[in-house]
Amino acid sequence: MSRSALPLNAIHAFLVTARHLNLTRAASELCITQGAVSRKIATLESWLGFALFTRHARGLHLTEQGAALLPELQQGFAMLVNATEKASRSNASIRLKAPTCAMHWLVPRLVALEQQRPDIHVALTTTLDHGSQLDNFDAAIVFGPSPAGSICLFEERLTPVMASSVTPPTQIGELAKFTFLHPTPDSRDWQLWLAGLDAALPMARNQHFATMDLAISAAIQGFGITVADVTLVQNDVVNGRLIAPFATSVATGASYSLLQRAEKDAPPFLPELVAWLSEV
């Protein structure tokens, strides 16, 4: 390999593997196979002309030369990451990550923000990981216990909702005749709501979804009745797409919270986005 072709991807693989000293965990973080990690490290070893790791029964060990090289590569790679992140923050694009379950609440707010402030561009990335952190994003909405330093947007409160075209039940017992739409592969959200009312129901017909937004969409189409967060479905209820037949909602103890990048590292207009989303 030409000495001028510095293998940056291989350096990244080396840094991740050196942190874990385990090919399986390194491959998981890099989202590639163990074989691919090994090939990247071999590429870097070939470029350098010496081995970086030795294999042992309990995992990997850095060689003496690999251990000596590691701190300088860590420092150099961090400088590259910081430089590229700084260049990325130089424009008005705000990188926002949010769980798909928040889309019914989030998208109308982003549309309204764009209408009022066309100079603010939000690059939205959705995820199924409710508890993920900022990673390489400028802001992130997370679900669950509120992380330290985050802004609590709203607490989760569950209530049944269904399409407005369907005749609603007047008593809890009448729910048994509907198809139950579950926002998760198990039935925990429905069970939380029923437990809050000290009630139990037979559930003869059930459909399970991976996320709450999918269950809400199915309810809007008249597929059945789901239990959903009252804040997430607020716009759908106001616009007549859904009805909430019961006034009772049950707090789950979880929250939707907003994490943001530190002010010194923040892109332009991030404070405006945070203020906008905080006005629930």
Side-chain angles (χ1 to χ4, degrees):
M1 177 178 291
S2 170
R3 296 294 296 177
S4 62
L6 184 64
L8 291 178
N9 285 336
I11 291 175
H12 185 212
F14 165 63
L15 295 177
V16 173
T17 305
R19 175 154 35 87
H20 292 292
L21 291 177
N22 183 283
L23 286 176
T24 301
R25 290 196 290 270
S28 177
E29 179 174 333
L30 293 167
C31 298
I32 57 178
T33 65
Q34 292 183 44
V37 176
S38 295
R39 288 191 293 273
K40 288 180 182 295
I41 292 172
T43 296
L44 182 58
E45 289 176 331
S46 176
W47 196 90
L48 292 168
F50 55 81
L52 296 168
F53 296 101
T54 58
R55 293 179 179 269
H56 294 268
R58 295 186 178 181
L60 301 175
H61 288 178
L62 284 164
T63 64
E64 183 177 348
Q65 289 173 299
L69 179 64
L70 179 61
E72 293 189 22
L73 283 185
Q74 288 173 325
Q75 182 179 7
F77 202 82
M79 291 177 63
L80 285 174
V81 171
N82 290 336
T84 53
E85 287 187 348
K86 183 177 180 180
S88 176
R89 291 193 299 269
S90 64
N91 56 41
S93 179
I94 303 171
R95 298 163 298 174
L96 172 64
K97 179 174 62 175
T100 57
C101 57
M103 290 303 101
H104 279 262
W105 174 85
L106 178 61
V107 171
R109 281 163 173 76
L110 293 182
V111 170
L113 175 63
E114 184 178 355
Q115 291 172 345
Q116 292 198 22
R117 294 289 304 274
D119 54 328
I120 300 178
H121 174 64
V122 179
L124 175 63
T125 298
T126 59
T127 178
L128 294 177
D129 184 0
H130 293 174
S132 59
Q133 299 298 305
L134 277 177
D135 299 326
N136 292 321
F137 293 85
D138 302 307
I141 295 175
V142 296
F143 173 73
S146 293
S150 66
I151 298 172
C152 180
L153 297 175
F154 56 91
E155 296 180 350
E156 184 181 50
R157 298 192 65 89
L158 299 178
T159 195
V161 291
M162 60 194 305
S164 55
S165 58
V166 180
T167 302
T170 57
Q171 298 179 1
I172 293 177
E174 296 177 9
L175 288 171
K177 66 182 180 181
F178 292 94
T179 297
F180 288 87
L181 309 178
H182 299 277
T184 59
D186 54 27
S187 305
R188 66 177 181 270
D189 286 347
W190 268 111
Q191 296 301 336
L192 278 171
W193 185 77
L194 290 169
L197 276 66
D198 196 22
L201 279 175
M203 297 183 180
R205 296 185 302 275
N206 301 273
Q207 293 290 339
H208 296 267
F209 297 87
T211 62
M212 184 172 286
D213 61 308
L214 292 176
I216 292 171
S217 297
I220 290 173
Q221 297 175 58
F223 197 37
I225 186 165
T226 189
V227 65
D229 176 75
V230 294
T231 302
L232 292 184
V233 297
Q234 184 178 32
N235 285 334
D236 295 306
V237 172
V238 170
N239 294 325
R241 290 186 290 270
L242 290 172
I243 55 173
F246 303 106
T248 304
S249 63
V250 174
T252 66
S255 301
Y256 288 85
S257 304
L258 182 65
L259 292 167
Q260 60 180 309
R261 193 168 292 282
E263 182 179 356
K264 63 182 180 64
D265 299 321
F269 306 122
L270 179 58
E272 286 87 341
L273 173 65
V274 171
W276 183 268
L277 295 180
S278 300
E279 295 176 0
V280 179

